[in-house]
Amino acid sequence: MKLILLGPPGAGKGTQAKLIVDKHSIPQLSTGDMLREAVKFGSKIGKRAKAVMDAGKLVSDDIVIGIVSDRVDMENCKNGFILDGFPRTLQQADALEAMFEEKDMALDAVIELEVDDDALVERVAGRFTCGTCGEGYHDKFKLPVTPNKCDKCGENNFARRADDNEETMRSRLRAYYKETAPLVGYYYAKGFLRGVDGMGTIAKIAADVDNILKSA
Ligand code: AMP
């Protein structure tokens, strides 16, 4: 199954992607995660991407298209994958279509998480993750059961993304509406788009996503 998760920053794409990964055993390909790794390791791509990411702007299409193209060729993608945060521009969507054609792959569905803008800044500004196992948390909505101890792996190694602050978040939202929101119409016109109300509980959204996947 090849799936795209679409929605503004903070819509819950990463959270839902992780649940799909657990249930369907296909990897989550998050271009944001891949770029953050590149920044962390100081690779050539990381050096080019860092300032752009810190400003909440979009990294150039050629960089992200290259990373995704390499990644989908890996062995663990042969049964499918979830694209989280890619494509983010019409140019990336066209490149993805060409890539699928060249690699003889087919897209199954595009799931749009529909959210209320006002909730996004609050969601994003409060989120943090376990740096050891990747479990996601939130200052207001999901604190660890035992303070300073990850519910999943027990470590006290929490981290916040450098771009999860109000100012950068507003810039990321502007980039979303300018560059990425047109993809809703793009995939609707191609018959791939399925909308999900992203304002409910994580479990309710996951159930709605699951229903879509059953019929995809
Ligand atoms: P995310 O984790 O998806 O919120 O992405 C974090 C940041 O990485 C974004 O604000 C962009 O700077 C960059 N980024 C991630 N995916 C893409 C993409 N497909 N195209 C351009 N920039 C991206």
Side-chain angles (χ1 to χ4, degrees):
M1 175 175 336
K2 292 171 194 69
L3 199 65
I4 294 172
L5 290 181
L6 203 61
K13 300 186 296 295
T15 303
Q16 293 302 323
K18 286 192 174 63
L19 296 173
I20 302 170
V21 168
D22 291 344
K23 197 154 181 182
H24 296 268
S25 303
I26 52 173
Q28 168 196 13
L29 307 188
S30 155
T31 41
D33 285 350
M34 294 180 217
L35 289 166
R36 278 185 288 279
E37 279 287 291
V39 170
K40 200 161 118 194
F41 288 105
S43 68
K44 209 164 134 192
I45 285 179
K47 285 189 181 122
R48 278 177 69 190
K50 186 175 184 318
V52 180
M53 292 173 76
D54 285 348
K57 301 210 169 105
L58 292 187
V59 172
S60 73
D61 288 336
D62 59 318
I63 290 184
V64 279
I65 291 164
I67 317 186
V68 173
S69 178
D70 288 348
R71 188 62 184 80
V72 299
D73 288 338
M74 288 171 74
E75 178 65 19
N76 72 342
C77 288
K78 71 176 194 310
N79 292 327
F81 45 82
I82 307 152
L83 290 170
D84 160 15
F86 179 91
R88 237 172 168 108
T89 63
L90 286 170
Q91 200 186 334
Q92 290 178 17
D94 282 339
L96 181 67
E97 191 169 287
M99 193 189 302
F100 274 170
E101 211 170 292
E102 186 196 313
K103 296 180 194 288
D104 205 15
M105 293 177 172
L107 181 64
D108 294 291
V110 177
I111 298 181
E112 183 202 2
L113 295 175
E114 300 160 343
V115 281
D116 159 8
D117 281 6
D118 290 340
L120 293 176
V121 176
E122 181 182 48
R123 272 195 194 182
V124 164
R127 69 186 180 182
F128 61 100
T129 51
C130 170
T132 304
C133 73
E135 184 71 357
Y137 293 95
H138 194 280
D139 292 328
K140 196 162 167 189
F141 309 118
K142 189 191 164 196
L143 281 166
V145 176
T146 310
N148 302 324
K149 192 170 172 217
C150 175
D151 298 348
K152 207 166 168 185
C153 73
E155 292 292 316
N156 177 11
N157 178 27
F158 297 105
R160 283 174 201 267
R161 282 173 43 173
D163 59 355
D164 277 350
N165 60 71
E166 192 168 336
E167 194 192 331
T168 311
M169 176 58 186
R170 298 214 181 271
S171 170
R172 288 160 66 199
L173 272 178
R174 277 196 296 276
Y176 177 80
Y177 285 109
K178 192 164 164 227
E179 313 269 12
T180 312
L183 295 183
V184 172
Y186 177 96
Y187 284 117
Y188 174 79
K190 288 179 184 287
F192 287 116
L193 192 78
R194 309 294 303 272
V196 166
D197 177 3
M199 293 308 295
T201 62
I202 291 174
K204 167 77 172 72
I205 301 164
D208 290 347
V209 168
D210 226 41
N211 280 333
I212 291 175
L213 297 185
K214 279 185 196 135
S215 63

